[in-house]
Amino acid sequence: MTTNMTPTIKCRVVTHYIEEQSEPDNQRYVFSYTITIANLGTGQAQLLSRRWLITDANGKKLVIEGEGVVGEQPIIAAHEEYTYTSGTIIETPLGVMEGHYVMINENGDEFVAEVSPFRLSVPNILH
């Protein structure tokens, strides 16, 4: 597997705190995240797998790995985007997620598309 980074895939993330599913008294904070994966390259790319590192404010770390995203291994055409929404639960009102996707280009070469760290936070927790 090639682990080269590629500038042709860009990821944008929007997070939301899901208050109605969270239980702060039980250290349960539920967040959704919507990720848009943009293929800025000249050929198609397929997302094969993902790896996430989720760290809460206590320093507790959780690694999530698996095939595809939300049950799919999307093929993203050149100059197209793929958007999906998923979620996670942490034990503190503040946390960070980061990770990457393993992808394959139309030539059969695998590459890694990094997802920069993004914050999971209850609204107004930070001043």
Side-chain angles (χ1 to χ4, degrees), residues 59-73:
K60 180 177 178 183
K61 296 182 184 303
L62 177 64
V63 174
I64 306 289
E65 295 181 284
E67 289 187 0
V69 291
V70 294
E72 298 181 7
Q73 291 182 311

Side-chain angles (χ1 to χ4, degrees), residues 86-99:
S86 191
T88 191
I89 301 168
I90 59 176
E91 296 177 358
T92 61
L94 183 64
V96 175
M97 273 184 77
E98 59 189 292

